[in-house]
Amino acid sequence: MIRQTLALAALAALTAAGAASAQQGRACGPRDTVLEKLEKRYGETRQSVGLAANEQMVEVYASPETGTWTILMTSAAGVTCLMATGQAFAEWTETEAAGDPA
């Protein structure tokens, strides 16, 4: 759930920024090239995905082994931009509270 919340928060922020500003000053390239580098250099795989405005896809890639993570935005034209990167990625699973009738 926290992973979904993080992805949705990133999606909202990126949608507000818009496609043009997302590519200004960011590392962008062909989708295949960017994904290959993430997988080979950092061992990151896709953890979540969502759709943003203007037919843009937002994805969270991460490596549970190394803890690195990357948020990507890809345009309909296939241009992928790195929006954020970091360390200490952890999967989060919500547990039911004691006595919760759900």
Side-chain angles (χ1 to χ4, degrees), residues 7-22:
L8 290 175
L11 176 67
L14 296 174
T15 300
S21 63

Side-chain angles (χ1 to χ4, degrees), residues 75-88:
S75 72
V79 177
T80 298
C81 296
L82 277 66
M83 305 307 293
T85 62
Q87 298 177 4

Side-chain angles (χ1 to χ4, degrees), residues 36-83:
E36 183 178 341
K37 287 182 181 180
L38 286 179
E39 291 169 6
K40 287 186 177 180
R41 282 191 192 170
Y42 304 102
E44 295 183 6
T45 58
R46 186 164 62 183
Q47 304 295 314
S48 61
V49 63
L51 295 176
N54 301 325
E55 301 179 12
Q56 297 174 66
M57 179 172 54
V58 177
E59 300 168 286
V60 176
Y61 277 74
S63 170
E65 290 79 30
T66 65
T68 62
W69 58 265
T70 305
I71 297 176
L72 302 176
M73 178 178 271
T74 303
S75 72
V79 177
T80 298
C81 296
L82 277 66
M83 305 307 293

